[in-house]
Amino acid sequence: MKIFTNKHYNLFMKKYSLLLIVLVLASCSSTKKPIESKPLYDVLFGSDYGGGSFQFYEIISEENEFQMLLGDDMIKPYVKKDDIKTSNFILVNLGEKPSGGYTIKVEKVKLLKDKVEVTIKEIPPSGMVTSVMTKPCYVIRIKSKKPIEIK
């Protein structure tokens, strides 16, 4: 006695294939998850090799400035076109460093009546690190459209 005929087997494989496709599509997301997420901010992205040669930060609050982030292949997976309508962004470059392992810590984000105060600290590497020159950079999303003051 045959349990499955070719017709039943083909129907089973079609349903199984469709289920796999649905699971893959459901698990894929158009944006990547941030490195760190808090109620007032997200550290979206960090890299040892994407920054500039000197230390600086840039506050991105206008749509035309935001186009720079949307056009960057490393950052674009973390942002959506409409994010600039509800958030401001901070691009932090730590400058050229003698080794890998440098990072930042957002110590405090304080939402005030007229602005957002952000305290960012550079954290040097601890333990074994690479001895190659790096240019660390980070992108932080501040979940407010109020002006940003960096301390």
Side-chain angles (χ1 to χ4, degrees), residues 10-76:
N10 288 339
L11 183 62
F12 172 76
M13 289 306 292
K14 285 180 183 177
K15 287 182 180 181
Y16 182 72
S17 298
L18 183 61
L19 177 65
L20 281 176
I21 291 171
V22 169
L23 287 175
V24 167
L25 291 175
S27 65
C28 293
S29 173
S30 61
T31 57
K32 291 186 175 183
K33 293 186 186 271
I35 295 171
E36 178 182 8
S37 185
K38 301 287 183 178
L40 293 177
Y41 71 92
D42 294 321
V43 178
L44 296 177
F45 169 82
S47 172
D48 278 345
Y49 301 103
S53 297
F54 56 93
Q55 191 170 20
F56 72 94
Y57 66 86
E58 182 177 352
I59 297 171
I60 299 169
S61 59
E62 301 293 324
E63 200 161 329
N64 59 343
E65 299 168 327
F66 187 63
Q67 294 302 316
M68 174 187 70
L69 294 182
L70 289 174
D72 188 299
D73 288 336
M74 291 189 301
I75 300 170
K76 131 170 88 175

Side-chain angles (χ1 to χ4, degrees), residues 33-134:
K33 293 186 186 271
I35 295 171
E36 178 182 8
S37 185
K38 301 287 183 178
L40 293 177
Y41 71 92
D42 294 321
V43 178
L44 296 177
F45 169 82
S47 172
D48 278 345
Y49 301 103
S53 297
F54 56 93
Q55 191 170 20
F56 72 94
Y57 66 86
E58 182 177 352
I59 297 171
I60 299 169
S61 59
E62 301 293 324
E63 200 161 329
N64 59 343
E65 299 168 327
F66 187 63
Q67 294 302 316
M68 174 187 70
L69 294 182
L70 289 174
D72 188 299
D73 288 336
M74 291 189 301
I75 300 170
K76 131 170 88 175
Y78 298 91
V79 294
K80 295 181 207 156
K81 185 179 175 186
D82 291 336
D83 284 350
I84 195 65
K85 293 178 181 175
T86 58
S87 302
N88 287 327
F89 295 82
I90 305 171
L91 175 63
V92 180
N93 276 285
L94 296 182
E96 194 169 84
K97 300 296 181 187
S99 68
Y102 284 84
T103 187
I104 63 165
K105 179 178 187 206
V106 179
E107 290 193 319
K108 184 170 53 168
V109 175
K110 192 174 184 181
L111 188 60
L112 302 173
K113 183 171 59 172
D114 59 336
K115 64 184 174 183
V116 179
E117 290 182 349
V118 180
T119 306
I120 300 170
K121 181 179 179 184
E122 180 180 321
I123 309 294
S126 61
M128 289 196 63
V129 294
T130 62
S131 60
V132 65
M133 297 289 264
T134 60

